[in-house]
């Protein structure tokens, strides 16, 4: 037995606990990674699941920026003015940002798939838990720190209210570009049908921590080929670098392992 006397043992245990409580969601185990394929035959209908309550204030909309992975719209999150609650959530969550993932061609692009069907793009609305965490950075280290609403995009008619965002994209073509972007209501991108799937998962881009309650809306919204082409006109690269189009910024689906996907419909 190592020369472990009582004092040093206690200290070691305390350090280990402290370490564990700070990182209960390490990715090394990887038991709840995202995205996943939603196999509707294996989903479990949960009649107790209520519709998600969504209440956004367009005045919280701040800025549009290109972060080198995707473009994202950031929100003011110092108060409970743009929040979601109910559905599978125990607490209310504050909207921090929304962003998209899309493909170089329309046969790829979404992160989640449904019975292995891929959509050309997917919207993520990222919310954090102000009851358990002090800010969104802390939230990515907490088991139930984030709630992300996923909405599939399919090609069809032009999305008139999304056009305001599409028209602003050329101003953030390059990595780290940002512009003021005000008065946009993200509720215009939520499908009218409130049906969803929900499961415990992770961030789909680094640090891929297992801190997300996913709520995937069943119905897609429509955008036009021209609107999607504008997404693809952005660059991963900064000005002055060799230009690389920002496309195929989706993570492949991950193993479901011991998880169950719950559904609001039987
Ligand atoms: N694709 S995703 O929705 O799983 C995703 C991936 C990475 C982050 N990181 C940034 C972040 C953390 C909290 C708020 O913003 C956020 C969301
Ligand atoms: Zn995302």
């Amino acid at each position: 037995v190592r020369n472990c006397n009582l004092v040093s043992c206690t200290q070691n245990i305390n350090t280990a606990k402290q370490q564990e409580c700070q990182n209960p969601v390490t990715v090394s185990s990887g038991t709840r990674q995202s995205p996943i394929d939603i196999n509707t035959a294996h989903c479990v209908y949960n009649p107790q699941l209520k519709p998600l309550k969504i209440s956004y204030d367009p005045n919280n909309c701040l800025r549009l920026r290109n972060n080198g992975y995707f473009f994202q719209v950031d929100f003011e999150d110092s108060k409970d003015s743009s929040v979601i609650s109910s559905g599978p959530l125990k607490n209310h969550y504050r909207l921090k940002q929304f962003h998209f993932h899309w493909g170089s061609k329309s046969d790829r692009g979404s992160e989640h798939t449904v019975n292995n069907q891929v959509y050309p793009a997917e919207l993520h609305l990222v919310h954090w838990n102000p009851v358990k965490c002090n800010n969104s950075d802390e939230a990515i280290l907490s088991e139930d720190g984030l709630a992300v609403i996923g909405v599939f995009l399919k090609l069809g008619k032009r999305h008139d209210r999304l056009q305001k965002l599409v028209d602003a994209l050329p101003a953030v073509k390059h990595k780290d570009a940002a512009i003021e972007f005000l008065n946009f209501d993200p509720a215009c991108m939520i499908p009218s049908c409130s049906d969803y799937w929900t499961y415990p998962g992770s961030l789909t881009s680094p640090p891929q921590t297992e801190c997300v309650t996913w709520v995937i809306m069943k119905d897609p919204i429509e955008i036009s080929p021209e609107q999607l082409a504008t997404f693809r006109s952005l660059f991963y690269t900064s000005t002055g670098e060799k230009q690389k189009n920002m496309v195929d910024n989706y993570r492949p689906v991950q193993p479901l392992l011991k998880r169950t996907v719950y559904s609001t419909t039987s």
Side-chain angles (χ1 to χ4, degrees):
V1 176
R2 283 175 300 140
N3 63 334
C4 170
N5 62 50
L6 185 59
V7 170
S8 73
C9 264
T10 313
Q11 277 163 353
N12 292 344
I13 291 166
N14 287 342
T15 310
K17 266 203 190 119
Q18 215 234 343
Q19 183 61 26
E20 175 56 30
C21 88
Q22 271 172 12
N23 291 301
V25 287
T26 47
V27 180
S28 55
S29 53
T31 59
R32 50 174 280 191
Q33 287 292 294
S34 293
I36 60 168
D37 175 53
I38 297 167
N39 180 329
T40 54
H42 297 166
C43 290
V44 172
Y45 168 54
N46 178 349
Q48 281 161 11
L49 274 177
K50 302 190 203 82
L52 203 57
K53 278 198 182 120
I54 301 174
S55 170
Y56 295 147
D57 178 354
N59 292 315
N60 294 150
C61 191
L62 291 176
R63 113 179 48 78
L64 165 66
R65 67 189 169 100
N66 176 331
N67 68 8
Y69 286 103
F70 33 72
F71 64 88
Q72 82 179 42
V73 175
D74 297 322
F75 280 74
E76 167 60 46
D77 63 345
S78 57
K79 289 198 294 293
D80 285 343
S81 44
S82 289
V83 293
I84 59 172
S85 62
S86 190
L89 306 174
K90 296 189 189 74
N91 305 126
H92 65 281
Y93 287 69
R94 280 185 197 165
L95 178 64
K96 170 74 184 167
Q97 50 109 326
F98 69 80
H99 63 270
F100 298 82
H101 302 263
W102 61 91
S104 48
K105 295 192 175 66
S106 302
D107 63 349
R108 65 200 76 157
S110 65
E111 297 212 299
H112 292 86
T113 58
V114 182
N115 299 326
N116 289 311
Q117 179 202 340
V118 178
Y119 286 88
E122 184 173 333
L123 161 64
H124 289 158
L125 294 134
V126 182
H127 310 75
W128 60 279
N129 185 337
V131 173
K132 297 280 183 68
C133 312
N134 295 315
N135 55 56
S136 60
D137 291 336
E138 244 186 56
I140 63 174
L141 295 177
S142 165
E143 187 94 23
D144 44 10
L146 292 187
V148 182
I149 301 177
V151 180
F152 293 118
L153 277 67
K154 76 173 192 182
L155 286 179
K157 63 181 188 309
R158 189 180 109 120
H159 194 299
D160 290 334
R161 294 179 62 189
L162 188 65
Q163 193 56 32
K164 176 181 172 180
L165 175 55
V166 172
D167 286 339
L169 291 180
V172 292
K173 265 187 177 305
H174 293 90
K175 182 181 175 195
D176 299 332
I179 56 164
E180 186 179 68
F181 186 70
L182 305 178
N183 214 14
F184 180 80
D185 181 4
C188 75
M189 302 184 292
I190 303 287
S192 48
C193 175
S194 58
D195 289 329
Y196 61 84
W197 296 287
T198 184
Y199 78 96
S202 73
L203 300 177
T204 64
S205 63
Q208 286 153 352
T209 45
E210 300 182 333
C211 61
V212 182
T213 299
W214 281 96
V215 178
I216 308 288
M217 304 312 291
K218 286 195 175 183
D219 278 6
I221 58 172
E222 288 189 25
I223 61 168
S224 68
E226 294 75 18
Q227 290 178 313
L228 187 53
T230 308
F231 285 22
R232 297 180 178 136
S233 71
L234 297 187
F235 299 120
Y236 282 121
T237 44
S238 312
T239 49
E241 281 182 307
K242 183 176 179 331
Q243 290 181 350
K244 258 184 352 187
N245 279 84
M246 183 180 274
V247 293
D248 299 327
N249 53 3
Y250 57 89
R251 188 189 193 191
V253 292
Q254 304 294 306
L256 183 62
L257 302 178
K258 295 188 182 321
R259 291 177 285 181
T260 301
V261 179
Y262 290 98
S263 171
T264 57
T265 60
S266 56

